[in-house]
Amino acid sequence: MSSPTTSDPRYQQIHPVHRDVTVPLPEQPIDRFVRPLARFLHVEAASGVLLMLCTAFAIIMANSAWSDSYLSFWKTEVGVSFGSLNFQHSLRHIINDGLMAIFFFVIGLEVKRELVHGALADLRRATLPIAAAIGGMVVPAGIYLSLQYDQPAARGWGIPMATDIAFVVGFLALLGSRVPNNLRVLLLSLAIVDDIGAIIVIAIGYTQELDGRFLMLAAIGIGIVHLFSRIGVRRFPPYIFAGLIAWLAFHESGVHATLTGVILGLMTPAKATIVPDHFRQYLLKTGEAFRGDGWNSKNHRARKVREVQRLTRETVSPLEYLETTLHPWSSYFIVPVFAMANAGVVMQLTNIEDPVAIAVTLGLVVGKPLGVLLFCLLAVKLGWAKLPAGVNWGILIAGSFLTGIGFTMALFIDGLAFGEAGLDTAKTGIMVGSAISAVLGMTLLMWTLPKRKTLHARA
């Protein structure tokens, strides 16, 4: 006689299935404070709102009576020493090279997910966002270089190239169901390809003198990570240790250390180890231990709990597990702290009129949408791609202006191009250009997208 399955009435008589299952944890006083915060963090626009608040805080502090104290705080020396080895840098440097490595690791995970399971996995679907992203990088860089040709600030050509995905997601969330899902997918895929382009720009365009010895050590660290994956190491600490070796080696080699995060993210496996059916059978067998007083009298309970935790984690891929674990830290801690450390710019009228600020602003406000639209039009006319369902040229024009919000990556490249603290005039151009792009994009989207009444009527 076959054993009953979960859908079999015989099984449900033995193991009643409750449709409204809640986590059996007792209510704690702190839950009353944490639950509203958790609800806020689950809103898509929350990370963009938090980033905007931190940026405003940095600008206000940089233009207040506490300006000197605030700006000098990020220059505070932080470090550790071990014997003759001494690692000491400013707090801003630790944030930009250390914490941002985790941000770039999350980007690497997102890129890997899109390449394996997302919109970039299918070449025909990926052609349009790839073309749009290339245009959105080439044209802004061209505008900047044409205005700064043969000038010392020409080194900042990469600043207006990237799109800030957090702000784009936040603004699209504000429009709710009016935004076609295909437009969301297109803009998010474009931003992912943008990030890939920015990573290549950082690796090629902003790498100083290279030290072959440390590059070799970094390659060994990356090789150890690959070896661990091949031989089936499932614990995270060995990977973290090898990744730290690679990060330190890249940091000393002349290649920007944050690229370690991207490489490790792209190397993360995208396939789960345990088949769900096998895990389901394991849970049914393990559940026997909780019947009656069996669990209270069972030996080695802590070991059993650790085993269940480990096997539960193995039902999802390392990529999915790490992305869902680290993404909140990246969005709600690392990027806001980065903004507070780097967005503090003294706002002066002379900065807005500076040629560097004008070049950055035009690159973001004019170059990004122009490049996106020209390359999309070219891809469609050549028959390589077609506009997705629900997205016409008017909606695409409106959405293309949101790609001019180039905040986080733009500030990051500004620091690479003009020194750790960046250039105030370039930061001013980033702020002004991103703000104008946001206003134009939202205004045009509200005008071109169908009204909610029309959506309900169609439904």
Side-chain angles (χ1 to χ4, degrees):
M1 184 175 181
S2 61
S3 58
T5 62
T6 55
S7 59
D8 195 308
R10 292 175 296 161
Y11 178 88
Q12 294 179 8
Q13 289 174 1
I14 304 171
H15 309 283
V17 178
H18 301 283
R19 294 185 180 275
D20 186 20
V21 179
T22 58
V23 178
L25 291 176
E27 178 84 11
Q28 301 294 339
I30 195 172
D31 291 336
R32 280 176 258 167
F33 302 97
V34 173
R35 196 174 292 114
L37 177 62
R39 282 198 296 266
F40 170 77
L41 295 182
H42 275 86
V43 178
E44 283 184 328
S47 62
V49 172
L50 182 60
L51 182 55
M52 196 178 301
L53 291 174
C54 289
T55 303
F57 175 78
I59 294 174
I60 291 171
M61 291 299 294
N63 292 272
S64 68
W66 303 282
S67 175
D68 292 339
S69 299
Y70 180 78
L71 297 177
S72 63
F73 170 75
W74 303 108
K75 299 177 183 178
T76 305
E77 290 292 318
V78 179
V80 294
S81 60
F82 185 79
S84 60
L85 298 176
N86 185 29
F87 185 86
Q88 190 164 1
H89 293 280
S90 69
L91 185 58
R92 180 185 284 115
H93 184 89
I94 298 296
I95 293 168
N96 292 357
D97 282 47
L99 284 181
M100 288 298 284
I102 301 175
F103 167 77
F104 277 90
F105 179 68
V106 175
I107 286 179
L109 295 174
E110 291 175 344
V111 171
K112 178 73 173 282
R113 171 174 48 79
E114 289 297 315
L115 290 172
V116 176
H117 303 299
L120 302 180
D122 182 1
L123 184 59
R124 285 195 61 83
R125 288 178 61 198
T127 300
L128 192 65
I130 290 174
I134 293 173
M137 291 185 286
V138 172
V139 176
I143 289 177
Y144 184 95
L145 282 174
S146 66
L147 295 174
Q148 289 295 311
Y149 179 74
D150 206 23
Q151 298 294 320
R155 184 168 170 75
W157 57 272
I159 294 174
M161 292 179 65
T163 297
D164 193 299
I165 193 169
F167 276 122
V168 172
V169 170
F171 282 118
L172 290 178
L174 294 177
L175 295 171
S177 59
R178 292 181 61 190
V179 180
N181 187 56
N182 282 331
L183 179 63
R184 296 179 193 271
V185 173
L186 174 61
L187 291 180
L188 293 180
S189 302
L190 183 157
I192 292 292
V193 180
D194 246 8
D195 287 337
I196 298 174
I199 291 162
I200 295 173
V201 166
I202 292 169
I204 298 175
Y206 295 100
T207 296
Q208 305 295 329
E209 296 180 4
L210 297 177
D211 189 320
R213 297 169 303 169
F214 284 106
L215 278 178
M216 182 64 68
L217 181 59
I220 292 173
I222 298 296
I224 292 173
V225 170
H226 179 67
L227 177 64
F228 285 162
S229 178
R230 294 288 294 178
I231 64 177
V233 175
R234 309 305 304 170
R235 304 286 184 179
F236 288 133
Y239 290 98
I240 295 172
F241 180 73
L244 283 174
I245 292 175
W247 180 87
L248 284 169
F250 271 124
H251 184 273
E252 300 299 323
S253 70
V255 177
H256 203 272
T258 52
L259 294 179
T260 314
V262 179
I263 295 171
L264 295 179
L266 292 173
M267 292 175 64
T268 304
K271 186 177 180 181
T273 305
I274 298 179
V275 178
D277 286 340
H278 294 170
F279 184 68
R280 191 179 303 114
Q281 294 172 9
Y282 167 81
L283 285 180
L284 291 175
K285 183 178 178 181
T286 304
E288 300 291 333
F290 290 93
R291 289 190 178 181
D293 294 328
W295 178 251
N296 293 329
S297 60
K298 191 174 180 64
N299 295 324
H300 308 297
R301 289 184 299 174
R303 184 188 303 170
K304 192 67 177 178
V305 169
R306 286 194 297 270
E307 179 186 275
V308 173
Q309 289 175 329
R310 181 174 60 84
L311 293 178
T312 302
R313 194 187 68 205
E314 296 292 345
T315 59
V316 297
S317 67
L319 187 151
E320 182 180 352
Y321 178 81
L322 288 171
E323 186 180 5
T324 54
T325 302
L326 295 177
H327 192 274
W329 286 100
S330 175
S331 298
Y332 300 114
F333 177 70
I334 294 174
V335 174
V337 169
F338 170 82
M340 288 193 292
N342 292 272
V345 56
V346 179
M347 302 300 291
Q348 298 176 347
L349 184 61
T350 54
N351 285 350
I352 299 176
E353 298 172 346
D354 187 87
V356 174
I358 293 173
V360 172
T361 301
L362 290 178
L364 292 172
V365 177
V366 178
K368 289 294 289 186
L370 182 61
V372 168
L373 291 171
L374 285 178
F375 277 63
C376 281
L377 182 62
L378 182 64
V380 171
K381 290 296 183 182
L382 291 175
W384 296 347
K386 61 180 181 179
L387 291 183
V391 179
N392 56 38
W393 285 107
I395 293 175
L396 184 59
I397 291 171
S400 68
F401 278 94
L402 288 183
T403 65
I405 306 173
F407 185 79
T408 305
M409 200 67 79
L411 286 175
F412 189 80
I413 296 177
D414 170 47
L416 296 178
F418 301 118
E420 187 177 285
L423 197 66
D424 277 357
T425 52
K427 290 181 180 180
T428 302
I430 294 169
M431 306 295 177
V432 173
S434 297
I436 294 174
S437 297
V439 171
L440 288 175
M442 289 296 287
T443 302
L444 291 173
L445 279 174
M446 287 189 288
W447 183 43
T448 56
L449 290 176
K451 308 300 180 188
R452 284 190 171 84
K453 291 182 180 179
T454 306
L455 290 174
H456 290 319
R458 288 177 181 174

